[in-house]
Amino acid sequence: GEAQISGGEMSREEAKQLVERFNAGALTAPITLVNQRTVDATAAQDSLDRILVAGAIGTLLIVLFMALYYRSLGLIAGLALLYYIALSLALFKVIPGFVMTLAGISGFLLSIGMAIDANILVFERAKEEMARGVSRLAAIETAFARAWPSIRDSNVSTIITSLILYSFTSSFVKGFALTLMLGVGVSIFSALTSTRAMIRSLMRV
């Protein structure tokens, strides 16, 4: 119940102020030790390995679902998603001083879900157009044009939120916001370029 702090050249007034600050944050409720764990240097590596495995499994499940539900269009979306992941990782690599943290990986995995969400909006709109008797190629072009406002608004709102988090937070939250913001930006680019180009090419075959 007693402690001593050595402050070197600390004056008596500074020592009293330090004690007051410690006492201001003291808890009056009793504290009981319930559990105690020793964490070694491999804990972070273990967490990283689990996150990477979970991300890979989640991505494969998304690709499988898209292929089963949307058939050929879903398969194209799966390939475009893999291209998006490679493009995002390449962007992270070329940014000077960029460090991928565990929170940053979480933000990147969240951006993967948003990337596939854009394809779902386009494909659902294309199904509606084809149900009206429009050809597949024309339905896809119309779907991209009409789904773009929804894709733009959702992604821009996420980027704005990420900018706010990056500007007014610190530590792991800032890393999460940065990777999410970059990932969403790349997803907009890939949705309008790679996915669209792949679908146009295969629809004309």
Side-chain angles (χ1 to χ4, degrees):
E2 297 181 359
Q4 179 177 347
I5 299 176
S6 300
E9 301 296 328
M10 183 181 297
S11 66
R12 184 178 182 85
E13 288 73 20
E14 290 174 337
K16 286 183 62 177
Q17 186 180 47
L18 182 62
V19 171
E20 289 174 357
R21 288 176 178 174
F22 275 118
N23 289 334
L27 298 176
T28 57
I31 299 176
T32 304
L33 179 62
V34 176
N35 186 22
Q36 182 174 349
R37 294 178 58 189
T38 301
V39 179
D40 57 17
T42 62
Q45 185 63 47
D46 293 339
S47 299
L48 176 60
D49 293 340
R50 291 181 181 181
I51 289 177
L52 293 177
V53 171
I57 293 175
T59 301
L60 290 176
L61 289 176
I62 290 174
V63 172
L64 180 61
F65 168 78
M66 294 293 289
L68 293 176
Y69 192 80
Y70 292 106
R71 306 296 176 87
S72 58
L73 290 178
L75 186 59
I76 295 172
L79 295 175
L81 181 63
L82 297 178
Y83 168 77
Y84 156 76
I85 293 174
L87 189 62
S88 298
L89 294 177
L91 177 63
F92 298 153
K93 185 69 174 178
V94 299
I95 295 178
F98 183 88
V99 178
M100 179 65 80
T101 62
L102 295 178
I105 295 175
S106 301
F108 174 57
L109 295 179
L110 180 59
S111 69
I112 293 177
M114 296 194 66
I116 204 66
D117 179 64
N119 292 321
I120 292 175
L121 288 174
V122 172
F123 295 161
E124 287 297 326
R125 184 65 191 182
K127 287 172 63 177
E128 295 177 3
E129 294 296 324
M130 286 187 286
R132 295 169 50 192
V134 180
S135 65
R136 294 188 70 184
L137 184 58
I140 290 296
E141 294 294 337
T142 302
F144 269 104
R146 296 187 177 180
W148 165 241
S150 298
I151 297 172
R152 177 198 60 206
D153 294 345
S154 63
N155 286 311
V156 168
S157 63
T158 301
I159 291 175
I160 293 174
T161 303
S162 300
L163 279 172
I164 295 173
L165 287 175
Y166 185 81
S167 301
F168 296 100
T169 60
S170 60
S171 187
F172 63 91
V173 179
K174 180 170 287 191
F176 170 84
L178 179 61
T179 53
L180 179 60
M181 178 173 56
L182 293 175
V184 171
V186 174
S187 73
I188 297 176
F189 172 78
S190 64
L192 295 178
T193 56
S194 61
T195 306
R196 197 168 189 173
M198 289 181 186
I199 292 176
R200 281 175 173 172
S201 299
L202 294 179
M203 290 295 103
R204 290 191 174 97
V205 175

